[in-house]
Amino acid sequence: MKGGFFITFEGPDGSGKTTLINNLRPFITDELKKDLIITREPGGVKISEAIREILLDKRFSEMGSRTEALLFAAARAQHLDEVIKPALDAGKIVFCDRFVDSSVVYQGIGRKLGVQEIIDINRFATTGVNPDMTILLDLPADLGLARIKKHRSEKSDRIDQDQLSFHEQVRRAYLDLAAKNSNRIKIIDGRQSPEKITKNALQLIQEALKGRI
Ligand code: TYD
């Protein structure tokens, strides 16, 4: 059996990660389909989807940053145990929309909890499981927020609603993280057309998976 491979998709709000993952679906061969799990955070399993509802609920504007960070980590621990770890142990490929890097940039930098603190609680949550490759869709924060406003203003969530300066910090933190982890994190310019972005991502994934896609 071929080894498991873990790919995460990251980017600021409105960067187009979810669209990219949907656009990749038609390129996945029937053979690979049996071997591929596509999932997302916060969420992916019943308990984590319930935690997601609490995290994104606009009624909970009083939520403290540490509570937020611990809830993201708790959702991740359950998702890892139920989906990601078993799939990787079975040699499958996992595509995950957001993972620990999101907590590092949103909670560690955006909420100013500290990068090391976030890495520590997430090491506990993930038992040290790390992505093999991360695709970072980079986009200026104002463009991302404008996209959200245009396409789903009625559905904006508690975190989308944060100030532009918060989202600018998140974007810069992602770029910084990518510079420090250039072997793992590959940047794609999110201002390109969806077709171009899909093509770039496919190329990166094909290289990483060497002929499995
Ligand atoms: P997501 O469902 O990916 O939303 P979007 O499609 O708008 O990018 O994530 C929901 C929000 O949760 C998003 O604003 C990013 C935030 N988030 C964190 O702050 N920390 C985390 O660890 C994760 C996974 C997400």
Side-chain angles (χ1 to χ4, degrees):
M1 180 180 293
K2 294 164 191 153
F5 203 86
F6 185 20
I7 302 181
T8 58
F9 295 79
E10 294 280 354
D13 288 65
S15 57
K17 294 172 288 92
T18 313
T19 306
L20 167 60
I21 293 171
N22 286 332
N23 288 346
L24 286 171
R25 288 177 195 268
F27 293 95
I28 295 163
T29 60
D30 284 343
E31 202 208 323
L32 182 68
K33 239 174 233 159
K34 297 188 273 91
D35 248 5
L36 179 72
I37 306 280
I38 299 181
T39 187
R40 70 158 181 186
E41 291 204 347
V45 291
K46 223 165 45 180
I47 293 173
S48 310
E49 290 290 338
I51 298 174
R52 176 190 177 89
E53 303 228 324
I54 298 172
L55 276 163
L56 300 183
D57 193 327
K58 283 191 269 191
R59 285 176 309 158
F60 299 145
S61 56
E62 74 275 28
M63 187 181 293
S65 301
R66 283 177 296 117
T67 306
E68 182 182 286
L70 289 165
L71 285 175
F72 276 118
R76 182 163 296 131
Q78 188 67 28
H79 183 215
L80 188 101
D81 286 353
E82 278 194 64
V83 176
I84 300 176
K85 187 84 179 2
L88 294 174
D89 286 347
K92 298 198 174 191
I93 296 161
V94 177
F95 285 2
C96 188
D97 189 342
R98 296 196 184 280
F99 196 61
V100 174
D101 294 330
S102 284
S103 286
V104 168
V105 303
Y106 282 82
Q107 282 68 52
I109 306 283
R111 301 283 193 234
K112 301 187 173 37
L113 289 175
V115 167
Q116 197 53 50
E117 282 75 2
I118 296 301
I119 288 175
D120 289 345
I121 61 169
N122 277 281
R123 189 174 298 120
F124 180 69
T126 63
T127 64
V129 172
N130 287 313
D132 297 295
M133 180 169 83
T134 298
I135 292 180
L136 169 59
L137 267 183
D138 174 52
L139 192 76
D142 54 345
L143 281 183
L145 293 183
R147 281 185 188 175
I148 290 175
K149 225 170 166 183
K150 191 161 162 217
H151 297 299
R152 42 172 192 182
S153 54
E154 74 294 350
K155 283 196 296 182
S156 83
D157 62 46
R158 193 179 57 84
I159 296 177
D160 289 338
Q161 281 195 321
D162 273 298
Q163 301 293 327
L164 176 60
S165 60
F166 172 83
H167 291 281
E168 276 168 348
Q169 262 185 323
V170 163
R171 190 233 181 168
R172 271 198 304 277
Y174 265 130
L175 291 175
D176 207 36
L177 199 63
K180 290 187 180 124
N181 296 274
S182 54
N183 279 340
R184 171 174 66 88
I185 304 181
K186 311 291 176 198
I187 304 175
I188 295 180
D189 184 344
R191 288 169 303 188
Q192 302 177 101
S193 68
E195 295 72 30
K196 198 99 190 276
I197 291 172
T198 308
K199 202 170 150 217
N200 288 353
L202 263 179
Q203 211 165 7
L204 289 167
I205 294 167
Q206 275 160 350
E207 272 165 33
L209 294 177
K210 294 185 195 70
R212 278 176 78 170
I213 188 168

